Amino acid sequence: MHCHILPGLDDGCQSMDETIQTLREAERQQIRQMIVTPHYYPGRYMVSAIQVRKTLDEVRRQCEKQGINITLYPGQECFYYSGLTELLNSGSVLTLAESRYVLVEFSPDCLFTYLLSGLRDLRQNGYIPILAHFERYRCLQKEGHLEMLKEQEYLLQMNFDTLLQKDGWFRKNPWRAVVKNGAVDFLGSDCHGTDFRPLRVAEVYEWLGVHLNSRQRKQILTDNIQKILQNIY
């Protein structure tokens, strides 16, 4: 539910060949459904809904030709700014899989008041925000801030690499404990292709199998994703 595999749209896959290689690897790792989420980032990646849908259709055709059996859904990772809700309302940028769920990111050094205000703006406009790679936001390391988000029932997505303590954002912080206590709603690869932040599904499954019970695993890996695909909350 968080990946950058559409070719040539953002800082993810840069060619159809790389996209197909990534999807073959996804299939090998037993992924059967993916929501593709190219960036919408004002001034950097001004990817429109039309571009996403057109490119996704091309990728689907290639998958069919090459026998790749993965169902792909449209979406975007949206950088929050004051005009985002207007773009979502007009359909110029995309929610996840045609649902009310929005994958939203902020600047890592944003103020907590700004982050909370942005999430509230989306909610007040009828959307269900999912905070992308929440572990990046420095303001959430301050005592009480993460708890406040959960008290207000905001949804959190963590990257695979954070869970696995790979090189990357805040890898030395104790984010694994947040997964164990049930505060994380979604895990996403944030895959950018075959080299940059590759898929690590098998490793994630192994860790979850050791540290979470079956009910917790089902909630993160199946139930919450189905809520997106079925547009329920």
Side-chain angles (χ1 to χ4, degrees), residues 6 10 12 18 38 40 42 47 54 57 78 105 123 130 133 135 152 160 177 180 184 190 192 213 216:
L6 293 186
D10 58 8
E18 185 180 9
Y40 182 84
V47 181
K54 179 180 178 182
D57 284 344
C78 304
E105 68 170 331
R123 179 176 280 179
I130 300 172
H133 37 58
E135 64 273 17
Q152 297 184 31
F160 285 0
K180 291 179 183 180
V184 174
D190 198 3
H192 279 60
N213 61 42
Q216 291 172 312

Side-chain angles (χ1 to χ4, degrees), residues 47-227:
V47 181
S48 69
I50 292 174
Q51 289 175 288
V52 174
R53 294 184 192 281
K54 179 180 178 182
T55 307
L56 180 56
D57 284 344
E58 293 171 359
V59 171
R60 285 168 171 162
R61 285 193 289 271
Q62 286 298 316
C63 286
E64 186 175 357
K65 286 181 181 179
Q66 302 198 35
I68 297 173
N69 186 29
I70 297 178
T71 303
L72 300 173
Y73 300 91
Q76 286 188 265
E77 180 183 13
C78 304
F79 188 86
Y80 183 80
Y81 78 111
S82 59
L84 177 59
T85 53
E86 183 177 350
L87 292 176
L88 289 165
N89 290 341
S90 68
S92 299
V93 298
L94 294 173
T95 61
L96 296 177
E98 316 287 356
S99 71
R100 292 187 296 138
Y101 289 83
V102 176
L103 185 64
V104 60
E105 68 170 331
F106 294 78
S107 173
D109 58 357
C110 71
L111 296 175
F112 180 68
T113 52
Y114 182 78
L115 185 148
L116 189 58
S117 175
L119 295 175
R120 285 174 175 167
D121 177 32
L122 289 166
R123 179 176 280 179
Q124 288 168 0
N125 276 271
Y127 299 104
I128 304 169
I130 300 172
L131 184 58
H133 37 58
F134 77 92
E135 64 273 17
R136 292 188 181 184
Y137 308 110
R138 295 180 178 90
C139 63
L140 295 185
Q141 296 182 48
K142 294 184 179 179
E143 185 175 353
H145 285 179
L146 189 61
E147 291 77 7
M148 187 181 299
L149 289 187
K150 294 311 298 181
E151 286 171 4
Q152 297 184 31
E153 299 185 343
Y154 287 111
L155 302 175
L156 304 178
Q157 177 259 312
M158 177 185 283
N159 279 4
F160 285 0
D161 281 5
T162 304
L163 181 70
L164 298 172
Q165 296 185 329
K166 303 292 184 180
D167 289 341
W169 295 86
F170 307 114
R171 68 184 180 89
K172 294 182 180 180
N173 282 296
W175 294 117
R176 287 182 168 186
V178 181
V179 178
K180 291 179 183 180
N181 70 22
V184 174
D185 303 284
F186 300 94
L187 292 170
S189 67
D190 198 3
C191 174
H192 279 60
T194 53
D195 297 318
F196 178 39
R197 206 173 290 134
L199 295 163
R200 306 183 195 273
V201 178
E203 294 174 73
V204 169
Y205 281 1
E206 182 180 359
W207 189 93
L208 294 177
V210 172
H211 297 283
L212 270 61
N213 61 42
S214 60
R215 180 190 59 79
Q216 291 172 312
R217 292 196 301 271
K218 184 173 182 291
Q219 189 73 33
I220 291 179
L221 298 175
T222 303
D223 294 351
N224 290 345
I225 298 294
Q226 288 303 312
K227 287 179 180 180

Side-chain angles (χ1 to χ4, degrees), residues 13-25:
C13 292
Q14 295 302 300
S15 68
M16 183 64 77
D17 284 346
E18 185 180 9
T19 295
I20 294 302
Q21 288 179 40
T22 303
L23 287 168
R24 287 196 186 284
E25 178 60 21

